[in-house]
């Protein structure tokens, strides 16, 4: 898979997307990297720790979050994306579901559109992806955690996202899938979708797993958001074992070490 000027061969190792939230209210690190200098410093730390992609988000998507305007989201993410691309040689992802934000991010140098609604909230996202010929991550999401046949419906929803991508001409080799842990799912369903990750990888697209510090870990371990790294590492290792090609994490260094060990085992002869 090609993201920006980097190639990501499938099966070679597990790649790491480092989270950079430039928001005042993200559930884990809100307010930490709002300034451009703080954002660039955190980017440098993540790259030194082993990040392969930097994912910039300008709107918190935690449960109960307050939506922000597209204008405010653009104000937050565009200078950071521009700054990262100027200072570092690294693919940059923009975490947005709004096409007006996505276009400005792409103009600033973003290489991947990370859409938590998988092109099902704003189909112009797919049109943009095809126009700019960039990589995309299509995440599973629902307004309500209501299912009759949970895993089958998750896969069906992702197939709908894929159909939108194809309709607008997004290339197959540009697509990542994300099971959407923490989005439109109960605690039990979040566990179940992780248990069944191999059914998503069987669809034939690289899978990105994003569980970092999420409530499913907090509820399982009865720990606050600041103490969920071990739980996050456990899910990252599980993802690698089940064939996920990418993980999206806050703590790059610890996850990178765990995944390097797991990749060595999985790829040993």
């Amino acid at each position: 898979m090609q993201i920006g000027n980097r190639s990501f061969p499938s099966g070679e190792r597990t790649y790491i997307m480092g989270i950079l939230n430039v928001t005042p209210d993200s559930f884990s690190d809100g307010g930490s990297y709002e300034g451009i200098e703080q954002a660039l410093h955190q980017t440098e730390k993540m790259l030194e720790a082993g990040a392969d992609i930097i994912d910039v988000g300008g709107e918190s998507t935690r449960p109960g979050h307050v939506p922000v305007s597209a204008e405010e989201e653009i104000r937050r993410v565009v200078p950071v994306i521009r700054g990262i691309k100027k200072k570092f040689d690294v693919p940059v992802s923009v975490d947005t579901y709004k096409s007006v934000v996505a276009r400005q991010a792409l103009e600033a140098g973003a290489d991947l559109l990370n859409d938590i609604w998988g092109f099902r909230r704003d189909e112009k996202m797919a049109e943009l992806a095809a126009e700019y010929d960039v990589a995309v991550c299509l995440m599973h999401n629902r307004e309500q955690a209501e299912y009759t046949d949970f895993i089958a419906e998750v896969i069906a929803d992702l197939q709908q996202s894929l159909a939108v991508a194809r309709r607008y001409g997004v290339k197959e080799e540009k697509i990542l899938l994300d099971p959407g842990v923490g989005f439109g799912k109960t605690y039990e369903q979040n566990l179940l979708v992780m248990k069944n990750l191999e059914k998503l990888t069987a669809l034939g697209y690289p899978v990105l797993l994003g569980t970092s510090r999420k409530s499913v870990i907090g509820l399982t371990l009865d720990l606050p958001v600041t103490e969920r790294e071990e739980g996050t590492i456990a899910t990252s290792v599980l993802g690698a074992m089940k064939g996920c090609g990418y993980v999206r994490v806050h703590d790059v260094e610890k996850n990178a070490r765990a995944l390097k060990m797991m990749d060595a085992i999985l790829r040993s002869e």
Side-chain angles (χ1 to χ4, degrees):
M1 184 171 192
Q2 192 77 18
I3 304 175
N5 64 357
R6 295 285 181 86
S7 179
F8 293 82
S10 294
E12 192 169 282
R13 63 180 179 87
T14 309
Y15 301 104
I16 296 178
M17 178 183 281
I19 300 169
L20 184 66
N21 287 319
V22 288
T23 58
D25 57 345
S26 289
F27 79 97
S28 168
D29 53 0
S32 298
Y33 314 115
E34 286 186 88
I36 185 72
E37 290 307 316
Q38 294 129 302
L40 292 177
H41 178 65
Q42 177 64 6
T43 297
E44 187 170 32
K45 283 177 60 179
M46 289 194 289
L47 292 176
E48 288 173 352
D52 300 289
I53 306 164
I54 302 297
D55 187 51
V56 180
E59 178 181 4
S60 172
T61 51
R62 76 189 194 287
H65 76 282
V66 178
V68 300
S69 68
E71 292 74 20
E72 174 62 15
E73 197 176 339
I74 289 167
R75 185 192 69 78
R76 293 175 181 179
V77 303
V78 165
V80 171
I81 294 169
R82 193 175 287 127
I84 293 171
K85 296 301 291 187
K86 183 177 180 180
K87 187 171 182 179
F88 306 105
D89 180 22
V90 62
V92 173
S93 164
V94 61
D95 183 357
T96 189
Y97 55 91
K98 301 169 188 167
S99 59
V100 64
V101 176
R103 182 176 288 279
Q104 293 299 315
L106 290 168
E107 286 294 322
D111 306 292
L112 186 154
L113 299 182
N114 186 9
D115 185 350
I116 66 165
W117 285 101
F119 293 168
R120 297 170 70 203
R121 177 64 65 88
D122 181 353
E123 288 197 7
K124 288 183 179 178
M125 290 286 287
E127 187 177 354
L128 271 179
E131 178 186 340
Y132 283 80
D133 193 27
V134 293
V136 300
C137 183
L138 307 178
M139 197 188 84
H140 177 265
N141 204 345
R142 278 194 180 186
E143 293 283 359
Q144 302 293 330
E146 296 172 357
Y147 306 84
T148 302
D149 187 347
F150 175 60
I151 295 297
E153 289 179 47
V154 168
I155 291 171
D157 289 351
L158 286 170
Q159 293 283 19
Q160 287 183 30
S161 291
L162 289 165
V164 175
R166 293 187 194 105
R167 186 159 67 246
Y168 284 93
V170 178
K171 295 173 183 174
E172 296 282 305
E173 64 270 20
K174 294 282 188 178
I175 298 172
L176 289 164
L177 298 180
D178 182 335
V181 173
F183 291 83
K185 299 169 187 68
T186 64
Y187 168 74
E188 291 79 9
Q189 288 164 349
N190 283 316
L191 294 175
L192 197 57
V193 80
M194 286 189 280
K195 184 178 181 179
N196 287 274
L197 283 168
E198 68 277 4
K199 294 180 181 176
L200 271 67
T201 59
L203 295 175
Y205 298 86
V207 171
L208 180 146
L209 180 64
T211 60
S212 189
R213 303 179 184 172
K214 287 185 176 176
S215 61
V216 64
I217 296 170
L219 290 169
T220 301
L221 303 179
D222 191 24
L223 289 172
V225 70
T226 54
E227 297 180 36
R228 298 177 186 172
E229 287 310 329
E230 296 92 342
T232 299
I233 290 166
T235 60
S236 293
V237 168
L238 175 74
M241 291 175 68
K242 287 183 171 284
C244 295
Y246 302 75
V247 297
R248 179 180 179 274
V249 297
H250 296 87
D251 189 327
V252 172
E253 184 177 62
K254 293 187 179 74
N255 281 274
R257 289 173 179 172
L259 287 167
K260 186 175 182 180
M261 188 69 236
M262 179 50 63
D263 285 342
I265 296 167
L266 291 174
R267 288 156 181 78
S268 63
E269 293 296 332

